[in-house]
Amino acid sequence: MRTIAVDRRVTAWTAAGLLICVAYPLLGDGTPAGAVLYDLFELLTLVVVLVRARRNRPEDRLGWYVFAAAIGFRLTGDVTYEIYRQVLHQSPFPSLADVFYLGSCPLLVAGTLLLARSRIGRDLAGLLDAAIIATGLGLVWWVLAIGPIAGDGSIPLLERLLGAAYPGCDLVLLALVARVLTRSGRPAVSVGLLITGTGTMLAADVGFQFVTAYRPELEGVVSVGWLLSNVVWGAAALHPSAAAPAPVRTGGRRVGPGRLVLLTGSTLLVPTLLFVQGALGFPHLSWLSIGVGAVLLFVLVLLRMSGFVTQVQRQARQLQDLAMRDDLTGLPNRRFFEERLAAAVAAGPAQVAMLDLNGFKDVNDRFGHAVGDRLLAVVAQRLADRLRGDDLVARMGGDEFAVLVTGASAEAMAGIVDRLTDGLRRPVEVAGQELLVGASVGIADAEGTDDPYEVLRRADTAMYAAKDQCGSHVRRYAVEFDERARAEARLGAEMRTALDTGQFRLVYQPIVSLPDARIVSVEALIRWHHPERGLVNPVDFIPVAEQNGLIVELGAWILRTACAQAVAWHATHGAAAPARVSVNVSARQLAEPDFADLVAEVLAWTGLSAHNLIIEVTETAVFRGGQSVQTVKDLHQLGVRIALDDFGTGHSSLGLLQTVPVDTLKVDKSFVDTITMAGRHAVIATALIQVADGLGLTAVAEGVETAEQATELHRLGYRLAQGYHFGRPVAQPDFHDAVSGTETVAV
C-alpha cells in the first residue's frame, strides 16, 4: 500500500509542476507574479528533496543533501537575480546571482556522482566513451560559444569571464550526462530522473545563451526548461527507489546501437566544424581549438579501441578456458587432455591411465543424479590431490577419468596408479550416505607409436580388460587385448547375422522331482550353430552379447521362443508336459526399465500363464539393487516365479533373500560335486536346504551327475534336482519316458 501512495505523490507532483510550467509564460517573464511563482515552486522543490531525503533515510542520503544544496544555490541565485531586476532595477549580469548560479554546478555534479557512484564507478570503457562524447560536443560548444565570448575584446573582462564560465559549467554537466548515458548498468529510477532533470536544465542553459544573443524576447520560454528540471528533480525525490534503490541490473559492456551512434557522431564533429566554418565563410577558422580537439579525440578513440581489443582478448581466453574445463568437476575435459597428450607424446615418453568407476550407475539409480554428481566431484578432487605437480587428470565424460604422466617409467606409473586407487577406497560421504566406489584402471604408454589417439585407445582397451575382472583391478595394455577385442568384435557382428538369419536354437534341460525323477519343469538354454565354426559355446558369445548390448534383443527372442514352446507342449502332451519353463535373464536385461512390460507382452502374445514362467537371475545381477531389483519385484507382482541361480557363490546370498522376492534357490553345482564325500563336504548343501525350508522356498540342486548324488540329496531333504544324470539339454525332451510317480513338487 505504501508503494501505491508514493506513486500517487509522484503523479500529483508531476501534474502540479506541469501546470506551473504552463502558467508561468502566461504571467510573463520579468513580472513580479511570474518571479514569485517561479521562486516558490523552486523552494517547494528544495523542501521536497530535503524532507524525502530525511524521511527515506537512504544509504546514499549524503548525495541527496548535496543535491539539495545545489537546488538551494540556484534558488538563492534566482532570488538575488529578481532583486536586482525587480527591486533595484539594475542589470542582474554580472551580479552576486552569478556566484550562486556558478556555485550550483559543482554541487550538482558532486551530488549526482554520490548518488550514482555504485552504478557508474569503475567502468573504464564507459569513462572513455563519455570523454569522447563530451570532447566532441564540447569542441562545438567551445567554437560556437565559449571561444567567441572569451576572445571578444569589446566586452569587459568580468563579463567575458562570466560569459565563458557558464558554457564551461554546461560543458561539465554535459560530461556528467554523457557519463551516465554510457554506464554499463541500469541505475535506479530516481537516479535516472535526476539525470533527466539535469539534462533538461542543460538544454535550457544552452537555449538561454542563444536566446539572449539573438531573441531576448524568448527568455520566458527558456525559463520553462528550468522549471521542468525542478519538476523532474522533485519526482526523483518522491519516487520509491529514492528510499530503497533497486539493485542494478547490469546489461554488460556491450556497445549498443545508441552508444555507437553517439560515438560516431562525436568523432565526426571535427571535420564537420571545419566544413561548416569553411562553407559559411567564417573570417577566422578556429584552427587551434579544432586541432587540439582532434588530437584529444584521436587519443581517446585509440585508448577506447585498445581497451576493446583487451576486453575481447580477455573474453576469448575465458571462453577458451571454459571450453577446456568440465563444468561439474572443474577438471580439464577431454579436449584439453587430448591436446596435452599430443604435446607429451611428441616431446618424449608419456604414460596414460584410464579410470572407470565401478558401481557409479547404481549410485545414480538408487540415490539420484544429484548424489552421483557430488560423488564425481569428490572423486575428481581425490584424484587431483594424489598427483604430482606436472601430472594431469581430466574427466573424459560420464564416470571416466584420464591421467597423463610424463617422464615416468612403468614402475613409477604403477606406483602413481596405486596412490589413485588407494584414495578411492575410503568411503565418500554424500547427502548422509557413505558410498564405496572402486575403479577399473587401464594403463598404456606411447611405445611404438607417435599417435596420441592410439595411446588413448590402448589405455581404454586395457581399462575394459580390467573391468572384465569384475572388480577394482589394474591392467597394463598388451597386444593380446587388441587381438581379443578384434575377435569379440567379429563375434559380435556374426551374432547380429545369426540372430537375423535364425542360427540360434533353444534346448531344454529337465528339472525333476526326487526320488522318482519325474520332469516337473525345464530350463531353456541357448545354442548357436554357426555355419562355419560349428557349435559355439555360450560361455564365449554370451559375455560379448552382454558387452555390445545384443543380449537385450537376444534375450527377448529366447523369452518369446521358450514361452511359445511351453504352450505348444501343453497343447500336445497335456498333463505330461512340464508345468513350468525357466528362462535365464542377464543383468543387462534386468537394468532395462521396460523389461517387466516385455514379459507381460510375451505372456499375453503366447497365452502362457504367468505362474507357468520362471525367471532365473544371478546373485551378481541384483546384489547392487537399483533398477534390477525393481524389475524383479515388478515381475513377481505379475505372478512370475523368481529363481536365484548359482545360489551360495555370490557376494551376499543370504542378504539378498531379504530384499529380492525369491521363490526358488538353485544350489550351485560346486556344493553338489562333493556331497557324497565323508566329513564336512555336505555341510553347506545341508545348510542351504535348511535355509530354503525355513523360508518356505523351493530348492533345486544343480549339476547332479550320479545316482549316488541324487540319493544323498534326497536324504538331505532336496526334492528337486537338475543335471546330466536326469537328462542333457535337448530340443524336445521325452516327457513320457520319465519315471512315473505321484508326488508333485512346486518349482
Side-chain angles (χ1 to χ4, degrees):
M1 295 299 293
R2 183 176 184 272
T3 302
I4 296 175
V6 173
D7 288 340
R8 288 176 177 171
R9 290 194 186 100
V10 172
T11 303
W13 168 266
T14 304
L18 292 177
L19 287 175
I20 292 174
C21 291
V22 172
Y24 179 76
L26 299 177
L27 294 177
D29 180 61
T31 64
V36 170
L37 179 64
Y38 186 102
D39 292 343
L40 283 178
F41 183 69
E42 192 168 21
L43 175 62
L44 185 58
T45 302
L46 173 62
V47 172
V48 167
V49 172
L50 286 173
V51 171
R52 297 305 298 173
R54 181 176 178 82
R55 286 187 179 180
N56 292 334
R57 296 187 179 276
E59 295 179 359
D60 46 7
R61 58 181 176 272
L62 176 61
W64 285 105
Y65 286 133
V66 173
F67 203 90
I71 298 175
F73 264 65
R74 290 190 65 82
L75 173 61
T76 305
D78 287 332
V79 171
T80 304
Y81 187 93
E82 294 300 335
I83 289 175
Y84 274 95
R85 187 166 60 165
Q86 303 286 345
V87 178
L88 301 178
H89 302 289
Q90 297 179 8
S91 174
F93 180 81
S95 69
L96 182 61
D98 297 309
V99 176
F100 295 107
Y101 287 145
L102 294 174
S104 68
C105 179
L107 292 174
L108 280 175
V109 174
T112 303
L113 290 177
L114 285 172
L115 291 171
R117 63 183 181 275
S118 62
R119 302 162 180 86
I120 63 173
R122 297 188 296 270
D123 179 8
L124 181 59
L127 287 171
L128 289 172
D129 290 348
I132 292 171
I133 295 170
T135 300
L137 296 177
L139 177 62
V140 175
W141 198 231
W142 177 273
V143 171
L144 298 180
I146 302 177
I149 294 175
D152 190 350
S154 63
I155 302 176
L157 179 61
L158 180 60
E159 292 185 16
R160 274 192 291 163
L161 292 177
L162 290 174
Y166 279 107
C169 288
D170 290 338
L171 184 58
V172 174
L173 294 176
L174 173 65
L176 174 66
V177 173
R179 176 65 191 98
V180 177
L181 289 176
T182 57
R183 65 195 181 275
S184 61
R186 182 179 299 175
V189 176
S190 59
V191 176
L193 289 172
L194 287 180
I195 294 298
T196 302
T198 302
T200 304
M201 186 196 74
L202 175 61
D205 286 350
V206 174
F208 180 78
Q209 293 175 40
F210 281 100
V211 163
T212 53
Y214 303 106
R215 299 289 298 276
E217 67 276 9
L218 296 179
E219 285 188 18
V221 176
V222 174
S223 299
V224 174
W226 291 320
L227 279 174
L228 280 174
S229 66
N230 286 296
V231 174
V232 180
W233 286 337
L238 291 171
H239 196 271
S241 62
V248 180
R249 291 176 289 176
T250 59
R253 297 181 181 179
R254 181 176 59 88
V255 179
R259 184 186 293 196
L260 189 61
V261 169
L262 280 173
L263 293 174
T264 304
S266 299
T267 54
L268 291 176
L269 285 174
V270 170
T272 300
L273 278 174
L274 288 174
F275 176 78
V276 169
Q277 286 191 329
L280 297 180
F282 274 55
H284 300 289
L285 293 177
S286 306
W287 292 111
L288 180 60
S289 303
I290 296 175
V292 172
V295 172
L296 184 57
L297 277 173
F298 175 79
V299 172
L300 290 173
V301 171
L302 186 63
L303 290 174
R304 182 64 174 98
M305 292 303 299
S306 175
F308 179 73
V309 171
T310 302
Q311 179 181 342
V312 170
Q313 291 174 339
R314 182 176 63 253
Q315 291 175 343
R317 288 193 298 269
Q318 291 173 347
L319 289 174
Q320 184 178 17
D321 185 65
L322 289 174
M324 295 293 188
R325 290 281 167 183
D326 174 57
D327 291 338
L328 177 62
T329 63
L331 293 179
N333 59 15
R334 176 182 285 273
R335 180 180 175 187
F336 185 89
F337 186 87
E338 289 175 349
E339 290 186 3
R340 283 283 300 272
L341 176 60
V345 170
Q351 302 269 354
V352 172
M354 289 288 296
L355 296 88
D356 184 85
L357 300 185
N358 297 326
F360 178 73
K361 184 178 184 302
D362 295 324
V363 172
N364 274 342
D365 290 343
R366 295 178 64 184
F367 304 109
H369 288 279
V371 173
D373 290 347
R374 178 58 185 152
L375 173 63
L376 288 176
V378 174
V379 167
Q381 187 61 50
R382 289 189 183 181
L383 294 176
D385 290 343
R386 283 161 177 77
L387 290 177
R388 306 175 306 178
D390 295 334
D391 300 336
L392 174 68
V393 59
R395 184 187 178 206
M396 305 299 280
D399 60 339
E400 286 189 5
F401 297 86
V403 175
L404 172 63
V405 177
T406 57
S409 63
E411 293 76 13
M413 186 64 179
I416 292 173
V417 170
D418 285 342
R419 289 204 307 271
L420 295 177
T421 54
D422 285 343
L424 298 181
R425 290 192 179 98
R426 185 159 45 90
V428 177
E429 186 172 346
V430 179
Q433 303 288 339
E434 282 199 349
L435 306 175
L436 280 173
V437 293
S440 297
V441 186
I443 307 173
D445 55 34
E447 183 178 355
T449 183
D450 58 357
D451 184 358
Y453 295 102
E454 171 61 16
V455 179
L456 203 57
R457 186 198 66 79
R458 292 176 179 180
D460 206 47
T461 301
M463 181 193 71
Y464 280 107
K467 287 185 75 69
D468 288 343
Q469 295 181 346
C470 299
S472 297
H473 295 281
V474 178
R475 298 296 299 271
R476 176 171 280 277
Y477 170 79
V479 177
E480 54 264 27
F481 292 170
D482 284 338
E483 296 173 354
R484 186 176 69 182
R486 284 191 290 269
E488 290 178 350
R490 286 195 301 271
L491 191 63
E494 292 173 356
M495 285 182 65
R496 175 73 269 171
T497 301
L499 191 56
D500 293 339
T501 58
Q503 296 177 17
F504 290 107
R505 298 288 185 272
L506 288 187
V507 294
Y508 303 89
Q509 185 172 33
I511 299 174
V512 304
S513 61
L514 296 177
D516 56 6
R518 182 175 58 85
I519 298 177
V520 295
S521 65
V522 293
E523 179 181 355
L525 302 170
I526 191 168
R527 295 291 183 265
W528 181 9
H529 293 275
H530 194 282
E532 297 176 0
R533 302 183 187 212
L535 188 62
V536 182
N537 196 318
V539 174
D540 295 327
F541 69 81
I542 290 297
V544 176
E546 285 270 8
Q547 184 175 348
N548 63 20
L550 195 60
I551 191 66
V552 175
E553 186 176 348
L554 182 61
W557 176 84
I558 294 172
L559 181 66
R560 286 193 299 269
T561 304
C563 290
Q565 181 63 77
V567 172
W569 282 333
H570 284 137
T572 303
H573 301 289
R580 294 182 175 87
V581 60
S582 293
V583 176
N584 291 281
V585 174
S586 70
R588 186 74 174 265
Q589 290 173 273
L590 291 177
E592 295 290 322
D594 58 350
F595 181 72
D597 295 334
L598 171 66
V599 173
E601 291 174 7
V602 170
L603 291 175
W605 174 70
T606 60
L608 184 68
S609 177
H611 73 271
N612 293 128
L613 175 64
I614 300 174
I615 294 295
E616 293 193 16
V617 299
T618 61
E619 298 176 47
T620 54
V622 294
F623 89 95
R624 285 196 178 99
Q627 180 61 47
S628 298
V629 170
Q630 184 58 49
T631 299
V632 171
K633 291 179 179 179
D634 293 341
L635 291 172
H636 199 261
Q637 196 169 15
L638 286 175
V640 176
R641 297 178 68 84
I642 305 298
L644 201 56
D645 200 11
D646 301 330
F647 186 74
T649 61
H651 294 75
S652 55
S653 302
L654 296 178
L656 282 176
L657 301 180
Q658 297 179 340
T659 58
V660 179
V662 176
D663 302 291
T664 300
L665 303 181
K666 301 195 73 175
V667 178
D668 189 70
K669 181 180 184 298
S670 61
F671 304 124
V672 175
D673 288 340
T674 58
I675 198 170
T676 59
M677 297 181 185
R680 51 190 300 187
H681 296 287
V683 172
I684 296 179
T686 303
L688 293 180
I689 188 61
Q690 291 174 349
V691 169
D693 290 343
L695 296 176
L697 306 177
T698 301
V700 178
E702 296 184 292
V704 180
E705 297 182 351
T706 66
E708 290 79 8
Q709 290 175 340
T711 301
E712 181 62 19
L713 286 168
H714 181 261
R715 187 187 69 81
L716 293 176
Y718 286 86
R719 295 297 177 264
L720 294 172
Q722 177 182 2
Y724 286 174
H725 174 64
F726 304 106
R728 291 179 176 271
V730 292
Q732 292 291 334
D734 188 354
F735 305 118
H736 297 282
D737 192 39
V739 178
S740 61
T742 58
E743 184 181 11
T744 300
V745 183
V747 64

